[in-house]
Amino acid sequence: MLTLNLAIMIPFLVAAIIPFIYKKLTRIHIGWFVFAVSLLLFIYLIRYVPSIANGETYINIVEWIPSIGINFTTYLDGLSMIFGLLITGIGALVILYSIYYFDLDEDLHSFYMYLLIFMGGMLGVVFSDNLMVLYLFWELTSISSFLLIAFWFHRKQSRYGAQKSFLITVGGGIAMLVGFIMLYVMTGTFSIQEILPLVSELPAHELFIPAMILILLGAFTKSAQFPFHIWLPDAMEAPTPVSAYLHSATMVKAGIYLVARFTPIFGGGEIWFWLVTGVGMVTMIWGSFNAIRQTDLKALLAYSTISQLGLIMSLFGMGSAALYYGYSADSVFYTQATFAALFHLVNHSTFKGALFMVIGIIDHEVGTRDIRKLGGLMAFMPVTFTIALIGSFSMAGLPLFNGFLSKEMFFTAVINISQLDIFSLNSLGVLFPVVAWIASVFTFIYSLIIVFKTFFGPYQEEKLEHEAAEPPIGMMISPGILAVLVVLIFFFPNVIGYYLLNPAMGSVYPGFGTTVDLGQNITAWHGFNTELWMTIGVVITGVILYLLLRYWKGIFKLFPDKWTFNTLYDYSLTQIESSSTAITKTYMTGVLRDYFLYIYIFFVGIIGITLFYTGAFSFDMSNDVPISIYEWIMVVVMMVAGIAILFAKSRLTAIVLNGVLGYSISVLFVLFRAPDLALTQIVVETITTVLFLLCFYFLPEWKKESNGVKTKTVNLLISISVGLTFVLVALSVQHNKLFETISGFFEDAYELAGGRNIVNAILGDFRALDTMLEVVVLLIAGIGVYSLIKLKAKKGGPNSEN
């Protein structure tokens, strides 16, 4: 299964070569090349569907940093399979759609490069078993989605939307990282599969609840849950293919995946149940309610996505109640909510992907997405209308479309959960069916708005930029395929159930094993039960409210913009920026003395606190070797030179005295029988002295500074403090060991690193990362110098100052 690791890396590898090959593919659209990559990955994954359906799982470990338990471990099971197929399958359709969506003069190679990086990041998230590697890919999706959302960066709103999504999702990701580290502290491993057997011991740990909350923060921000949902509508400034990919099938589903993956670890407790279910229910009704007030079709879809994500999230929360009763045949009944969540996850990706592409087609063909300017498009765009009808009615939960099946299962779940007598549900449980029903009514209304406000009514040609017409056939293929899937899943839902949903259920509830069937037989007709009556009520109420929309839409004025989370976000951002500017101006004075002051105060504070806080300050000189006469002489010379520098009246004198200090140290190295260090010190001191002399030659005359008493007092205190700190460290260093000695590494350098030269072994192996970063710094500095030389304006040129 090493190929799964390779499958994750393929999108990155292809993204790396795109900048070099796109100019050579003059006769072939670069999108076809990327489409082939996504399609091949989808075919590769689908080969494993039969074996995964039979209960097999695949794990492969590629050691990365094994000393601290960080390995590139991949794990393929039912849950990761669903997401992997969505990422590659929907990805292939989106890329096919984008080939016809973008103009050829767009920056296409950058677009596809970002898209492939995002695809690889998402595959890494769902297939990684190691928490640290999962986090790495998680943030990679944040970075690549930032680039995708800001693809049209010349637009102010695109930059704003990208920044908002980045700040919120990365903030949640950092919280999640802290949660992962806490989980490691509790279990001693970063492997999710190794954590699962330890689940019974975790709830008693003091870090259990903090880790749970922090990981959920990452999930909620990524999946746009209330109140972090505010980034999703602004992210709609991205090109429509990006919206269709990120916001229907991939990025926003990453948080859902995280909740599903961690349900067996944290689920079963009251806090997890209420947080996941409660946040999901609030998100669902808030998103559906606000979708109705939108006049932009993409904004409407954004809020509908928020609502649908809340629905799925709440179902996973309800399904966690099964873990409260433990893994037994009696608790299987409560897992139905999770089954519904997984089913709706697939359904939502199909109908929402189709709808996003339809909205893109409308915008592409008539030049606007504003509902107030649209109408009567059915006569001009019958195929587009058909796809929109299928997608919208599926989202509304009407029969003959897959959304009906999962919506009925959602109603079943809320009815079941309202009858539980745990987690205070005996008193609050009745709210679940009520909230679910109201949110479904709102969902039904905005689904009607998409269809009837866009395709029916008067055709307003004067408000459109272009005359309405069907798009090129290529743009219709992808949404058409998704629309067909919407219908096929309705008639053959148990194919999805057997091959995808049942194995995923085993991943969410690993303790049931293979002895209990966690699947369900999905049926379109289940009699006149409560769920069906709820659906009939949704349709009747929804139609009435849609027809009376203009009479009650004024209710949205009760929620003015100044009281929204968007306003709070903007205000907070402005305050943070202004505060940061004020603080920066306070300490960035431009005076060199101040910067040295900060460095020395920090040094004295940290070292001094460490010495006394750890009890390291103690010394005993009785066993020290005697100081020879030569050492005393050198010390006296250095003291005289150091004090003399303070009274030097020219730079040349100061440089010479400073050189005396350096050369005296090299003499000390000789006395201590370290000739290599002495030689190095002499070379460094010589070069430094020469450089000083060269630089100072061009400086103005050295004038004695005239400082006030306050400045002199501060300088004196800092000087004494720094000197005293060094003395204390020197006295303490021989008698205290805060850390294990590293001398063993040097003694065994040849065995450990294969190097006989200890200096080379240190630089090239023991502190190789540090050396590499230093080299990178030198490289960057070199590039900077080279750039300055190359970009220097010619004398007499327009940008020349001469």
Side-chain angles (χ1 to χ4, degrees):
M1 204 51 191
L2 179 62
T3 49
L4 189 59
N5 299 58
L6 182 61
I8 296 172
M9 300 309 298
I10 281 177
F12 297 111
L13 297 174
V14 177
I17 64 173
I18 278 185
F20 303 100
I21 64 170
Y22 84 98
K23 288 185 178 179
K24 301 183 182 299
L25 298 176
T26 54
R27 297 184 178 181
I28 304 175
H29 194 289
I30 188 69
W32 290 110
F33 185 64
V34 181
F35 170 73
V37 172
S38 185
L39 186 63
L40 289 174
L41 288 174
F42 178 77
I43 295 171
Y44 164 76
L45 287 176
I46 212 165
R47 290 171 52 244
Y48 291 95
V49 168
S51 60
I52 293 292
N54 290 328
E56 292 187 35
T57 58
Y58 301 88
I59 188 166
N60 186 73
I61 301 174
V62 175
E63 290 191 347
W64 184 11
I65 317 176
S67 58
I68 54 176
I70 298 178
N71 299 309
F72 186 16
T73 307
T74 55
Y75 184 69
L76 179 61
D77 62 353
L79 185 62
S80 54
M81 173 60 81
I82 287 183
F83 284 87
L85 291 176
L86 289 177
I87 293 164
T88 53
I90 301 289
L93 294 176
V94 166
I95 293 166
L96 176 62
Y97 174 82
S98 68
I99 293 172
Y100 299 94
Y101 179 85
F102 285 112
D103 296 330
L104 290 176
D105 57 355
E106 298 268 16
D107 191 10
L108 292 180
H109 69 287
S110 296
F111 173 78
Y112 288 115
M113 192 169 60
Y114 302 154
L115 199 70
L116 283 170
I117 294 172
F118 178 81
M119 182 183 293
M122 279 301 303
L123 290 174
V125 167
V126 301
F127 289 133
S128 293
D129 179 64
N130 191 284
L131 294 176
M132 290 297 104
V133 178
L134 189 155
Y135 172 74
L136 174 70
F137 285 117
W138 181 279
E139 293 301 21
L140 203 54
T141 63
S142 298
I143 295 170
S144 53
S145 64
F146 169 83
L147 295 170
L148 286 168
I149 295 169
F151 179 67
W152 287 330
F153 57 86
H154 55 277
R155 299 180 181 178
K156 183 180 179 182
Q157 281 306 109
S158 294
R159 299 195 300 273
Y160 175 78
Q163 182 197 46
K164 182 188 273 190
S165 69
F166 186 78
L167 290 177
I168 293 177
T169 57
V170 170
I174 292 172
M176 186 186 75
L177 173 64
V178 178
F180 284 171
I181 294 172
M182 288 182 177
L183 206 53
Y184 175 79
V185 172
M186 287 189 281
T187 61
T189 177
F190 285 121
S191 169
I192 298 173
Q193 297 309 309
E194 292 178 6
I195 291 173
L196 289 177
L198 308 173
V199 165
S200 60
E201 305 168 9
L202 299 183
H205 201 285
E206 60 184 2
L207 294 177
F208 180 73
I209 294 176
M212 175 203 299
I213 294 173
L214 290 170
I215 290 173
L216 281 179
L217 269 176
F220 290 161
T221 52
K222 201 76 163 180
S223 285
Q225 297 296 292
F226 185 91
F228 308 109
H229 63 284
I230 55 174
W231 69 264
L232 190 57
D234 289 295
M236 291 299 149
E237 291 297 326
T240 296
V242 175
S243 303
Y245 193 40
L246 271 64
H247 307 139
S248 70
T250 53
M251 180 176 171
V252 293
K253 300 284 174 61
I256 301 290
Y257 167 80
L258 200 71
V259 169
R261 182 59 80 191
F262 281 87
T263 292
I265 297 175
F266 294 109
E270 187 174 1
I271 297 176
W272 177 272
F273 173 85
W274 279 113
L275 277 177
V276 178
T277 310
V279 170
M281 295 293 280
V282 171
T283 305
M284 177 181 63
I285 194 166
W286 185 249
S288 61
F289 176 68
N290 278 280
I292 297 173
R293 70 190 300 184
Q294 306 304 317
T295 55
D296 184 300
L297 281 173
K298 277 187 78 175
L300 188 155
L301 283 185
Y303 277 100
S304 82
T305 298
I306 292 169
S307 175
Q308 300 289 316
L309 291 172
L311 185 155
I312 298 170
M313 189 70 79
S314 67
L315 281 170
F316 274 113
M318 296 177 210
S320 69
L323 298 176
Y324 174 81
Y325 295 100
Y327 291 111
S328 66
D330 296 333
S331 59
V332 174
F333 173 75
Y334 304 105
T335 64
Q336 294 177 2
T338 300
F339 189 89
L342 293 167
F343 190 31
H344 197 70
L345 180 81
V346 176
N347 293 339
H348 176 258
S349 298
T350 54
F351 67 68
K352 188 54 66 68
L355 284 174
F356 267 118
M357 294 183 194
V358 164
I359 300 305
I361 288 172
I362 294 170
D363 190 18
H364 191 271
E365 295 304 309
V366 302
T368 182
R369 305 186 305 254
D370 193 329
I371 296 172
R372 294 166 296 189
K373 299 178 181 177
L374 297 172
L377 297 184
M378 185 180 68
F380 303 91
M381 308 171 73
V383 180
T384 306
F385 163 72
T386 305
I387 298 172
L389 186 74
I390 293 172
S392 299
F393 281 13
S394 179
M395 186 164 60
L398 294 178
L400 301 182
F401 310 107
N402 58 0
F404 170 76
L405 301 176
S406 50
K407 189 258 302 171
E408 293 290 282
M409 297 173 74
F410 171 57
F411 282 162
T412 303
V414 294
I415 292 171
N416 290 340
I417 210 72
S418 67
Q419 296 169 0
L420 286 179
D421 59 356
I422 59 173
F423 305 149
S424 304
L425 283 167
N426 48 348
S427 56
L428 299 174
V430 68
L431 291 176
F432 284 78
V434 173
V435 173
W437 188 83
I438 294 173
S440 297
V441 171
F442 289 141
T443 302
F444 186 86
I445 294 171
Y446 67 66
S447 298
L448 294 186
I449 290 174
I450 294 174
V451 175
F452 290 95
K453 296 286 185 184
T454 306
F455 295 96
F456 291 88
Y459 176 61
Q460 307 177 79
E461 184 179 4
E462 70 282 1
K463 296 182 180 179
L464 306 178
E465 293 183 12
H466 317 291
E467 187 177 350
E470 288 286 18
I473 188 67
M475 287 187 73
M476 306 296 290
I477 295 174
S478 295
I481 291 173
L482 291 172
V484 170
L485 282 176
V486 168
V487 178
L488 283 179
I489 292 175
F490 175 81
F491 288 103
F492 307 101
N494 291 304
V495 176
I496 298 284
Y498 175 75
Y499 284 104
L500 294 181
L501 306 185
N502 290 0
M505 288 291 286
S507 304
V508 180
Y509 301 104
F512 282 112
T514 57
T515 57
V516 179
D517 183 12
L518 297 172
Q520 294 186 51
N521 184 36
I522 309 170
T523 57
W525 173 251
H526 37 71
F528 285 99
N529 55 11
T530 306
E531 294 87 319
L532 188 59
W533 285 116
M534 288 174 71
T535 299
I536 294 172
V538 166
V539 174
I540 295 173
T541 309
V543 170
I544 294 172
L545 288 177
Y546 173 75
L547 294 175
L548 300 176
L549 186 59
R550 65 178 181 277
Y551 297 108
W552 61 271
K553 203 171 182 180
I555 194 174
F556 290 106
K557 295 180 180 178
L558 297 175
F559 303 91
D561 291 339
K562 66 179 180 179
W563 296 113
T564 63
F565 285 103
N566 270 319
T567 305
L568 178 63
Y569 167 83
D570 293 335
Y571 176 77
S572 302
L573 203 61
T574 304
Q575 289 301 310
I576 290 172
E577 287 178 353
S578 59
S579 301
S580 301
T581 303
I583 294 171
T584 303
K585 287 182 178 177
T586 302
Y587 67 86
M588 293 296 287
T589 59
V591 179
L592 191 60
R593 175 185 173 276
D594 291 345
Y595 301 147
F596 276 113
L597 201 64
Y598 305 147
I599 294 171
Y600 288 136
I601 290 175
F602 181 79
F603 170 77
V604 171
I606 293 297
I607 300 298
I609 290 171
T610 302
L611 278 178
F612 288 99
Y613 181 75
T614 60
F617 176 57
S618 65
F619 60 93
D620 179 11
M621 301 177 65
S622 59
N623 294 324
D624 288 353
V625 295
I627 303 174
S628 68
I629 185 63
Y630 303 107
E631 292 163 1
W632 276 117
I633 292 172
M634 295 314 303
V635 169
V636 171
V637 169
M638 293 170 68
M639 290 176 63
V640 171
I643 295 172
I645 290 178
L646 301 176
F647 301 98
K649 294 185 178 179
S650 71
R651 285 198 178 93
L652 183 61
T653 307
I655 293 168
V656 171
L657 290 171
N658 188 61
V660 171
L661 280 173
Y663 289 119
S664 298
I665 292 174
S666 64
V667 174
L668 279 177
F669 285 146
V670 173
L671 294 177
F672 293 145
R673 286 177 290 182
D676 54 341
L677 288 178
L679 181 61
T680 305
Q681 178 67 26
I682 290 172
V683 172
V684 170
E685 196 59 40
T686 303
I687 294 174
T688 306
T689 304
V690 171
L691 287 176
F692 276 162
L693 290 172
L694 287 173
C695 293
F696 286 180
Y697 176 79
F698 297 98
L699 293 178
E701 194 67 26
W702 191 5
K703 296 179 181 178
K704 189 173 182 180
E705 293 183 358
S706 177
N707 296 319
V709 177
K710 183 180 177 181
T711 302
K712 290 181 178 178
T713 304
V714 172
N715 291 347
L716 181 64
L717 289 175
I718 291 295
S719 303
I720 293 174
S721 301
V722 173
L724 187 60
T725 303
F726 269 107
V727 171
L728 295 179
V729 170
L731 292 175
S732 305
V733 72
Q734 292 191 25
H735 303 281
N736 292 281
K737 291 183 179 178
L738 295 180
F739 308 102
E740 288 295 323
T741 178
I742 61 173
S743 58
F745 289 95
F746 303 154
E747 294 169 358
D748 303 328
Y750 183 72
E751 290 76 15
L752 293 173
R756 296 185 185 279
N757 186 312
I758 182 60
V759 177
N760 289 347
I762 293 172
L763 294 175
D765 196 280
F766 296 138
R767 44 160 287 188
L769 187 63
D770 191 20
T771 304
M772 184 190 73
L773 295 177
E774 288 177 351
V775 173
V776 171
V777 171
L778 290 175
L779 175 67
I780 294 172
I783 292 173
V785 172
Y786 177 78
S787 303
L788 289 172
I789 295 172
K790 292 292 290 182
L791 296 176
K792 183 180 179 182
K794 294 181 179 178
K795 192 172 184 179
N799 297 321
S800 175
E801 295 180 358
N802 299 323

